[in-house]
Structure formats: structure tokens, C-alpha cells
Amino acid sequence: DSGVTQTPKHLITATGQRVTLRCSPRSGDLSVYWYQQSLDQGLQFLIQYYNGEERAKGNILERFSAQQFPDLHSELNLSSLELGDSALYFCASSPRLDWNEQFFGPGTRLTVL
Amino acid sequence: AQSVSQHNHHVILSEAASLELGCNYSYGGTVNLFWYVQYPGQHLQLLLKYFSGDPLVKGIKGFEAEFIKSKFSFNLRKPSVQWSDTAEYFCAVTNYGQNFVFGPGTRLSVLP
């Protein structure tokens, strides 16, 4: 158990819908990272937040957005969902800004039908 | 753009065999390098990392990796694998927080 929690574990929805994935970092960690893991794209970094502010952006689609709240939990919002958005979405947390060691959550499996 | 390649998609070994998983990255500047492991049904865990200093780094569970700057490589090794090492292994690189790029992963199957 890494100490990072994600909810829900599974999510099934339809194309065109919007969903929100939630991540609670380890106690004391200020950085939260979001990743997408799919069969065709592999593991891709989406976005990083540090203490409430966006700090780095990877291959995140415009239909996707994220935020980190004052209590440091983070949410990833996926809208206008497409079949290709079906994937495992991981979040990770680390104590600092420097990507030194990330602790990964168990992931949310999103299925878009 | 940075990229990470891993030489093998799937490696099958017998217990006690030696392991070497290749990883190459494309980035000319200073990088930090990582190996993560994902056991079946579990989350990603850090095996080892290289930031600076001794290019031979030791990680958990008997794994080690060698950073060869001239070859842009960071290969993972283990002298004797066990059935419990069956997992997917990901090499990753970051250039001080501008991006974090994972390789495509290598699936390791260890036969008892």
C-alpha cells in the first residue's frame, strides 16, 4: 500500500459523458501527478500539480482538466468522452516538486462504451 | 522531445537465470532515470533511481542498474531471478520536471 488512494476503482460510462476521478496523496506530499495507461499509448504523463498550482503538463488533451484543492487532494475531469479514452488512470504523489520518488495509487479503470 | 525505448517487449526466463533489461533514452541534457515495476494487479513501485554520482545504482529486491551516459542507456540487471519477479518493468526519464516519460514496458515472465 503506497498511501495514495484513488476513487472510484472502476468507472463505466458512455461516449460524450463527463467523469471525475479523485486522488488523495500520501500524507504530507505536496505534488500530485496524473498518468494514463492504455494498451496502445502505454504509460503517459498527463499533468502535475504542486501545492495547488499546475507545474508541468504532458500529453493531456484539451477535453481533460485537473485541479488540486487546498487539502491537497486532486481531481481529474474527463469530458466529451470517446472510446479511446478507455484506460487506467493513475495518480502519484511525492513530497516535493522534483519528481524524486513518486508513490503511485492503485488506479481508476475507465471504460467508455 | 524525450523518448524512452525498452529493447524487449516480453522476456521469459527460468528461475535463477540472470536478467538484463535494456533501456535507452533520447535527451541530450541532464536527466534523472528510474525503473518502476508493476506486479500483476498492483500499482507501480519504484525499483531504483539515478540522479547523480555512482552510475551503478542498487535498488530493492536485488536489482541494480547502470547508467552509461555515452550510450544514453540505463539497463536493469538482476543476477538471479525468482518466480516472484514476474511483472512488468518500466524505465522512465525526467529532465528536472519538464516532463516524465515512461518507456513502453517489458513484461518479464519467470518460469518456476
Side-chain angles (χ1 to χ4, degrees):
Chain A
D1 183 1
S2 65
V4 178
T5 60
Q6 290 186 247
T7 56
K9 285 187 178 177
H10 302 278
L11 198 47
I12 301 175
T13 188
T15 54
Q17 295 298 304
R18 173 190 169 96
V19 297
T20 297
L21 313 183
R22 182 188 170 103
C23 169
S24 294
R26 292 188 324 153
S27 177
D29 284 359
L30 297 177
S31 272
V32 171
Y33 313 78
W34 285 97
Y35 295 87
Q36 180 194 60
Q37 186 178 31
S38 62
L39 282 174
D40 53 345
Q41 300 284 333
L43 256 171
Q44 289 198 93
F45 163 68
L46 296 178
I47 198 163
Q48 178 202 15
Y49 276 81
Y50 176 78
N51 205 19
E53 292 187 8
E54 181 186 307
R55 296 306 300 254
K57 223 169 183 177
N59 299 324
I60 188 166
L61 300 172
E62 284 191 13
R63 300 184 285 109
F64 296 0
S65 64
Q67 52 185 327
Q68 186 180 27
F69 295 86
D71 67 352
L72 301 177
H73 92 270
S74 178
E75 292 181 355
L76 179 68
N77 300 297
L78 315 175
S79 61
S80 303
L81 285 167
E82 302 175 0
L83 295 177
D85 298 327
S86 294
L88 193 53
Y89 291 85
F90 287 107
C91 88
S93 73
S94 67
R96 299 176 298 274
L97 189 57
D98 63 3
W99 307 67
N100 191 333
E101 180 170 356
Q102 297 175 59
F103 295 86
F104 282 78
T108 292
R109 183 166 294 283
L110 173 67
T111 302
V112 182
L113 301 175
Chain B
Q2 291 169 274
S3 67
V4 179
S5 61
Q6 293 183 236
H7 304 173
N8 309 96
H9 178 65
H10 189 190
V11 172
I12 303 173
L13 295 173
S14 298
E15 276 195 313
S18 64
L19 170 71
E20 180 159 3
L21 301 182
C23 170
N24 286 89
Y25 64 93
S26 67
Y27 183 70
T30 303
V31 293
N32 299 331
L33 298 155
F34 306 81
W35 276 98
Y36 279 86
V37 61
Q38 188 173 28
Y39 296 103
Q42 294 190 28
H43 56 84
L44 282 157
Q45 300 174 48
L46 180 68
L47 269 182
L48 46 80
K49 61 188 176 185
Y50 173 80
F51 271 45
S52 63
D54 189 344
L56 184 62
V57 293
K58 295 195 183 299
I60 61 171
K61 305 190 181 188
F63 286 91
E64 65 179 31
E66 185 176 11
F67 171 51
I68 303 180
K69 190 174 181 180
S70 60
K71 294 185 178 180
F72 297 90
S73 71
F74 190 55
N75 292 353
L76 181 71
R77 299 195 291 249
K78 185 171 184 178
S80 175
V81 294
Q82 301 172 318
W83 178 77
S84 58
D85 293 324
T86 294
E88 187 137 20
Y89 292 80
F90 295 90
C91 181
V93 59
T94 183
N95 58 331
Y96 290 117
Q98 291 184 20
N99 202 347
F100 196 88
V101 180
F102 279 96
T106 295
R107 187 155 63 101
L108 172 65
S109 299
V110 180
L111 306 177

